[in-house]
Amino acid sequence: AAKAAGRGRAVHYEGNMRHDMQQRVAGVRRIKAALAEDRVLPYYQPKIDLTTGALYGFEALLRWSDGDGEIQRPGVAASAFEDAELAAAISTRMIGKVLEDLSALLAAGRPVGHVAVNVSALEFQQTDFAARLLNDLRERGIAAELFQIEITETAFLGHGSDGVEDTLRTLSAAGIRIALDDFGTGYASLSHLKRFPIDTLKIDQSFIRDLAQEGEDASIVRAVITLGHNLGMRVVAEGIEDLRQAAYLQAQGCDIGQGYLFGMPMTAAKIGSDAFWQKFAIDTGRWPDIIAA
Ligand code: C2E
Ligand code: MG
Ligand code: MG
Ligand code: MG
C-alpha cells in the first residue's frame, strides 16, 4: 500500500511539474503578446510617510491586460524575467510607460512624490541601462530625485555584479535613489549594504504579517529599522494591511509604509483623478492619529 501511495505521489508530482511547465510557457507567451500589442500598463501603489501621514510617493508595479481585458500580475510571467532579452524588453516598456505617466501627472500638477520602479538582475545587464534611463529622464524634464529603483538581493549574485555596481553608482550619483527590496528574505550580506549605494531598505512583507504578536518577526523588524537608520538609510515596510501593523511600525520609527491599508495598486488614470487627491488631502496628516488611536 505504501508503494502504491508512493507511486501515486510520483505521478501526481510529475503531473504538477508538467502543469507548472505549461503555465510558465503560457505566461511567457501572454506577456510577449501584451508587449507586441501594447497592453502593458503600470499600476501605482501609494507609499505613506508614517511620521507626517503625507503621501511619500508610489511604487510602479507591472500589470498587463490579456486579450480579454483581464489584468495580470507579474507572477503569471515570472519566468519571463529569466530570459535576458525578454526581461530587457519588459523593463524598457515598463520604464517608458512610467515616465510617460509621470510626465502627464506632473504636467497636470499632481504632486506624485517619489516614483519607484522594480528592476531585476538581468535588466541591469544591459550595459546602457543607466545612460538610457538618465537620458529619458532628461528629455522629459523629470528630476532624477523623483525617480527610484527597487532591486532585490539577487542583483548581487553571479558574474554580473561588477556591472550592477557600476550601474547603481551611475544612477545614484545622478540623484536616483536605490532601494533594496524584500530585505531579509534573500542572499544579501551586510557587506552588500556597504559596497552598493543603497539608500533605502524595504522590509519584506513576510515579516509584517504577524508583527502585532510581538514574536520573532517583531524583533527582526526592530533590528532592521535600527540597522537601516544607523547606516543613514530610510526604512520602508511593505504589505501593511491593518492598523495594528501600522501602529507598531510607526512606534518603532519606521519611515515609510506601503500596503492595502493605505491603498491598492491602481491605474495612472485613477491616481490622476480628483477623487484620489481629494481623499489623500483629507487623509494626509490624519494617518498618524488614525494609526495611534
Ligand atoms: P514587490 O516589489 O515586493 O512588490 C510588492 C508586491 O506586494 C506587489 O505584488 C503588490 O501588489 C503586493 N502588495 C502590496 N501591498 C500589499 C499588501 O498589503 N498585502 C499583500 N499581501 N500584498 C501586497 P505584485 O504586483 O504581484 O508584484 C510581485 C513582484 O513582482 C514585486 O514584488 C516585484 O518583485 C516584481 N515586479 C513587479 N513589477 C515589476 C517590474 O516592472 N519589473 C520587475 N523586474 N519586477 C516587477
Ligand atoms: Mg518592489
Ligand atoms: Mg518587496
Ligand atoms: Mg515582495
Side-chain angles (χ1 to χ4, degrees):
K3 216 170 154 188
R7 200 158 49 231
R9 263 202 303 277
V11 169
H12 183 65
Y13 180 65
E14 267 174 42
N16 275 345
M17 287 219 317
R18 266 194 50 202
H19 180 74
D20 287 354
M21 176 77 91
Q22 282 162 355
Q23 292 290 98
R24 277 205 297 274
V25 172
V28 168
R29 187 164 31 76
R30 283 157 68 187
I31 189 132
K32 277 184 173 164
L35 284 167
E37 291 160 25
D38 198 14
R39 288 189 265 102
V40 171
L41 75 164
Y43 270 39
Y44 298 87
Q45 186 177 35
K47 292 179 182 171
I48 301 299
D49 182 324
L50 290 176
T51 312
T52 63
L55 180 74
Y56 173 77
F58 295 91
E59 176 175 12
L61 293 158
L62 175 68
R63 298 289 184 271
W64 77 89
S65 74
D66 270 340
D68 57 6
E70 203 183 313
I71 301 299
Q72 303 298 330
R73 289 172 63 160
V76 175
S79 48
F81 290 99
E82 292 158 20
D83 177 288
E85 208 175 312
L86 189 49
I90 296 170
S91 156
T92 302
R93 181 68 56 85
M94 180 69 185
I95 290 175
K97 293 274 176 196
V98 169
L99 294 180
E100 207 176 288
D101 289 343
L102 198 48
S103 300
L105 288 162
L106 292 171
R110 302 301 190 189
V112 287
H114 300 91
V115 175
V117 171
N118 295 280
V119 179
S120 69
L122 276 176
E123 296 162 35
F124 271 124
Q125 288 174 18
Q126 315 162 68
T127 44
D128 60 345
F129 181 89
R132 270 195 298 141
L133 175 56
L134 294 177
N135 189 55
D136 289 350
L137 286 167
R138 212 174 306 118
E139 273 183 2
R140 289 190 176 277
I142 299 170
E145 286 72 18
L146 287 184
F147 203 77
Q148 302 191 341
I149 299 271
E150 296 190 4
I151 57 172
T152 62
E153 298 154 319
T154 53
F156 306 141
L157 294 179
H159 311 298
S161 75
D162 282 345
V164 167
E165 184 174 354
D166 291 344
T167 301
L168 293 179
R169 290 219 173 279
T170 306
L171 296 175
S172 173
I176 292 182
R177 295 185 187 170
I178 317 287
L180 186 53
D181 209 345
D182 303 345
F183 186 69
T185 58
Y187 314 88
S189 77
L190 297 177
S191 64
H192 289 132
L193 299 182
K194 260 175 60 183
R195 176 176 160 199
F196 295 95
I198 292 158
D199 44 50
T200 303
L201 288 184
K202 268 192 109 167
I203 308 173
D204 190 67
Q205 58 191 51
S206 61
F207 300 111
I208 306 302
R209 209 165 298 135
D210 300 322
L211 196 58
Q213 284 152 38
E214 266 299 343
E216 286 172 352
D217 288 342
S219 303
I220 290 169
V221 165
R222 284 199 308 275
V224 173
I225 294 170
T226 304
L227 173 70
H229 286 169
N230 286 346
L231 292 171
M233 298 176 182
R234 221 171 282 102
V235 181
V236 182
E238 64 179 11
I240 302 175
E241 295 184 356
D242 62 48
L243 284 167
R244 284 171 66 204
Q245 293 162 338
Y248 190 89
L249 290 158
Q250 191 194 46
Q252 298 305 325
C254 184
D255 305 289
I256 294 157
Q258 178 183 354
Y260 298 158
L261 173 67
F262 301 114
M264 299 290 289
M266 50 198 130
T267 61
K270 183 102 188 261
I271 66 167
S273 69
D274 286 338
F276 176 84
W277 293 95
Q278 274 155 15
K279 180 181 178 314
F280 259 90
I282 293 168
D283 288 345
T284 290
R286 280 175 66 227
W287 275 116
D289 296 335
I290 298 172
I291 291 167

